[in-house]
Amino acid sequence: MGEFDNKEREEVFSKKVRAGKRTYFFDVKATRSGDYYLTVTESKKRLEDGVFVKHKIFLYKEDFEKFTEGLTETVEYIKTHQDVVEKRYEYSENGEHSTKTNDDFSF
């Protein structure tokens, strides 16, 4: 096993979240040994050429607690120091969407 194996891992669960011009994918995958890990992907269409640009992070189960603590603390800081209005989007069959607002920031 001297060479890095870059094959896609088995996808166990996937959740797609559309948020305006961005789409987030939360994918649970399994390693060869059956351990789960999470990939979070942000996908956004570039206006100039229509290409989708993706950014991905890998989060391993041993880091879930610390990651969640850091994310929660950071979100709480923003909510405490600025007004935050979360936009809700409704998508129709033709791909158009309208914006709704909702102040529920719970995780």
Side-chain angles (χ1 to χ4, degrees):
M1 201 173 177
E3 194 173 314
F4 180 74
D5 186 3
N6 196 21
K7 293 181 183 175
E8 281 294 315
R9 299 292 180 203
E10 176 188 355
E11 191 171 286
V12 177
F13 175 84
S14 186
K15 174 71 177 171
K16 178 179 176 180
V17 178
R18 291 184 179 172
K21 296 178 181 179
R22 293 177 193 85
T23 302
Y24 299 97
F25 300 91
F26 299 91
D27 299 312
V28 177
K29 297 186 179 186
T31 64
R32 285 184 187 167
S33 63
D35 286 333
Y36 290 168
Y37 64 96
L38 170 68
T39 63
V40 181
T41 306
E42 175 206 34
S43 179
K44 184 176 179 184
K45 192 179 211 179
R46 217 171 23 205
L47 294 176
E48 55 272 10
D49 57 8
V51 171
F52 284 93
V53 178
K54 296 181 180 183
H55 299 96
K56 185 178 284 200
I57 64 167
F58 292 79
L59 185 60
Y60 299 94
K61 64 184 182 182
E62 61 268 20
D63 301 328
F64 287 173
E65 188 173 332
K66 291 291 185 184
F67 183 88
T68 302
E69 288 172 8
L71 178 61
T72 301
E73 184 178 335
T74 304
V75 169
E76 288 300 320
Y77 176 87
I78 293 170
K79 288 172 26 180
T80 301
H81 291 86
Q82 289 188 340
D83 289 335
V84 177
V85 177
E86 183 175 334
K87 294 180 181 179
R88 299 282 185 181
Y89 301 91
E90 290 185 353
Y91 290 86
S92 65
E93 291 295 319
N94 63 4
E96 294 179 5
H97 64 274
S98 62
T99 304
K100 297 170 98 178
T101 59
N102 185 338
D103 290 331
D104 181 11
F105 303 109
S106 58
F107 286 98

